[in-house]
């Protein structure tokens, strides 16, 4: 409409300023042309308004269809037998360190070596009562180390199975775990000391762990298991059986105290050769066989808290071999 008025004004200006410049019939033709253009503009505007209205309707229809699809959409679900995949967790770690080993004998140089440790694992809850765990690690077949020394002319490094276990925790018996396979140490090891257990050792066999809550601050715990140490075609397999019980008291969220007793019994170890690597690791041996049986009693205690958000603990362990026939059967670690 503004365009029509503008054209009309222009026409009036031309008509008023130069009234004698154009013949009357031409002026009439010009008026008709201006009027026709005005009608065309009006028609175009009406069509544009119709298109805008139609676009609005189309957008409303499209929006309604999208909302309907969203309401009907369902997240894809794994079949029941594969639902454990949704709970799959992957973890790992890497460590690089330099070691200096000072020579104990004169004339030998100190040893310097660079070592790496790489591990990757996964665990998952198959259902409410079963869990699985698996971990690969570098290193060798050494049961107490996953380190690898660098410097072998850039040779490739080996990967080994470090953990492979199933964990059964029945709903009918809360706080009970029955574990089978190659597992983390199931026994309480105060201060992570290595008097009995090396921190990298992953025993193989069956184990059970149970906790009984007495109150909000006190609980009893019991751990036990049977493990296969060596397998022999002669039938003289070496085994390890362990049982442990204790008590833990929590003063608050960070401060606690615990104590307990453990009993470990090695079967068929007396008169056997070294378990790994041709070494006895400080145990009594004669003619390259173990002299003693090993039935060990351990007393342990630990107290801990936090100081400026850093964990601080005090712990001690007393171990004696009840089956030893030689001296040096008792060790205290604190």
């Amino acid at each position: 409409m503004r365009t029509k008025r503008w054209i009309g004004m222009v026409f009036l200006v031309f008509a008023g300023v130069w009234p004698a410049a154009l013949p009357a019939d031409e002026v009439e033709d010009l008026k008709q042309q201006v009027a026709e253009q005005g009608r065309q503009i009006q028609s175009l505007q009406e069509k544009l308004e119709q298109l805008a209205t139609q676009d609005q309707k189309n957008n409303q229809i499209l929006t309604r269809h999208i909302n309907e699809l969203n309401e009907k959409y369902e997240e894809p679900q794994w079949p029941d037998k594969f639902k454990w995949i949704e709970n799959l967790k992957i973890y790992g770690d890497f460590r690089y360190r330099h070691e200096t080993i000072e020579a104990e004998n004169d004339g030998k140089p100190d040893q310097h070596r660079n070592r790496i440790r790489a591990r990757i694992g996964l665990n998952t809850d198959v259902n409410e009562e079963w869990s699985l765990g698996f971990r690969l690690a570098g290193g060798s077949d050494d049961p107490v180390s996953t380190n690898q020394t660098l410097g072998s002319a850039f040779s490739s490094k080996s990967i080994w199975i470090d953990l492979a276990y199933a964990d059964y925790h029945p709903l009918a018996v809360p706080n009970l775990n029955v574990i089978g396979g190659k597992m983390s140490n199931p026994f309480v090891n105060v201060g992570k000391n290595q008097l009995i257990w090396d921190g990298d050792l992953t025993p193989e066999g069956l184990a059970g762990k149970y906790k009984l809550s007495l109150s909000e601050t006190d609980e009893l715990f019991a751990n036990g298991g049977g493990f296969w140490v060596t397998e022999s075609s002669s039938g003289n397999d070496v085994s390890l059986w362990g049982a442990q019980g204790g008590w833990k008291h929590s003063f608050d969220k960070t401060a606690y105290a615990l104590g307990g007793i453990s009993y470990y019994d090695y079967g068929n170890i007396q008169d056997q050769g070294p378990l790994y690597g041709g070494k006895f690791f400080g145990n009594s041996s004669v003619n390259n066989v173990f002299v003693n049986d090993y039935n060990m009693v351990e007393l342990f205690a630990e107290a801990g808290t936090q100081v400026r958000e850093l964990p601080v603990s005090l712990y001690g362990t007393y171990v004696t071999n009840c089956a030893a026939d030689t001296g040096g059967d008792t060790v205290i670690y604190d």
Side-chain angles (χ1 to χ4, degrees):
M1 296 299 293
R2 292 181 180 177
T3 304
K4 178 192 272 189
R5 288 197 295 271
W6 184 81
I7 294 174
M9 291 175 64
V10 172
F11 173 78
L12 291 174
V13 168
F14 275 96
V17 175
W18 295 287
L22 295 173
D25 56 345
E26 293 184 4
V27 172
E28 185 64 26
D29 290 342
L30 185 58
K31 288 180 178 181
Q32 292 178 359
Q33 292 177 6
V34 171
E36 180 63 25
Q37 290 177 352
R39 287 191 294 271
Q40 292 177 356
I41 292 173
Q42 178 66 29
S43 177
L44 290 174
Q45 288 179 337
E46 292 175 353
K47 291 181 178 179
L48 287 174
E49 291 175 358
Q50 292 175 357
L51 289 174
T53 301
Q54 187 63 40
D55 286 343
Q56 186 177 4
K57 291 180 179 179
N58 291 338
N59 288 336
Q60 292 175 349
I61 294 172
L62 181 60
T63 300
R64 185 173 68 252
H65 287 327
I66 292 174
N67 292 335
E68 291 175 353
L69 290 174
N70 287 333
E71 292 176 357
K72 296 178 180 179
Y73 176 76
E74 295 182 358
E75 290 287 341
Q77 299 291 326
W78 289 95
D80 290 342
K81 63 181 179 180
F82 294 123
K83 280 188 175 294
W84 58 271
I85 297 178
E86 296 178 348
N87 302 320
L88 192 65
K89 297 179 181 179
I90 300 176
Y91 64 94
D93 61 77
F94 172 78
R95 182 179 69 193
Y96 183 103
R97 76 183 185 192
H98 174 80
E99 298 176 354
T100 297
I101 303 175
E102 296 182 355
E104 297 181 357
N105 301 321
D106 294 337
K108 275 192 171 184
D110 294 344
Q111 182 181 2
H112 301 275
R113 60 183 183 180
N114 295 280
R115 312 196 82 189
I116 59 172
R117 184 187 71 179
R119 301 183 297 187
I120 185 169
L122 57 87
N123 54 55
T124 184
D125 295 327
V126 179
N127 53 44
E128 293 182 341
E129 294 189 326
W130 284 93
S131 300
L132 298 177
F134 182 78
R135 186 171 72 191
L136 297 176
S140 63
D141 59 350
D142 186 344
V144 294
S145 178
T146 52
N147 295 315
Q148 290 176 315
T149 302
L150 303 182
S152 300
F154 310 131
S155 63
S156 299
K157 308 307 176 188
S158 301
I159 297 294
W160 299 79
I161 295 177
D162 190 41
L163 290 173
Y165 64 88
D167 184 338
Y168 174 59
H169 34 276
L171 296 176
V173 187
N175 299 320
L176 172 65
N177 293 78
V178 180
I179 309 165
K182 188 170 181 62
M183 67 193 75
S184 299
N185 184 3
F187 298 102
V188 173
N189 188 30
V190 294
K192 298 181 180 180
N193 74 85
Q194 300 191 57
L195 182 58
I196 297 178
W197 299 103
D198 187 276
D200 289 320
L201 185 69
T202 53
E204 303 163 6
L206 294 171
K209 302 175 65 176
Y210 180 68
K211 293 181 180 179
L212 176 63
S213 178
L214 302 178
S215 65
E216 293 183 355
T217 58
D218 293 272
E219 70 176 19
L220 299 177
F221 60 85
N223 305 310
F227 307 96
W228 286 262
V229 181
T230 65
E231 188 274 332
S232 173
S233 58
S234 64
N236 295 322
D237 300 346
V238 177
S239 59
L240 170 62
W241 301 89
Q244 181 183 76
W247 157 86
K248 180 178 180 181
H249 175 77
S250 298
F251 299 99
D252 53 37
K253 292 183 178 180
T254 59
Y256 66 92
L258 64 84
I261 183 171
S262 308
Y263 178 75
Y264 302 106
D265 185 348
Y266 277 89
N268 290 330
I269 196 170
Q270 191 172 11
D271 297 327
Q272 290 278 355
L275 301 179
Y276 172 82
K279 298 180 181 179
F280 287 91
F281 297 100
N283 296 303
S284 299
S285 62
V286 174
N287 297 326
N288 207 38
V289 297
F290 286 102
V291 173
N292 298 314
D293 192 6
Y294 287 89
N295 300 333
M296 298 177 292
V297 175
E298 174 195 27
L299 299 177
F300 60 89
E302 179 177 289
T305 186
Q306 285 189 358
V307 178
R308 295 184 179 180
E309 299 185 354
L310 294 176
V312 178
S313 63
L314 177 66
Y315 58 89
T317 298
Y318 169 91
V319 179
T320 184
N321 182 10
C322 301
D325 296 327
T326 59
D329 60 347
T330 300
V331 179
I332 299 176
Y333 187 100
D334 57 14

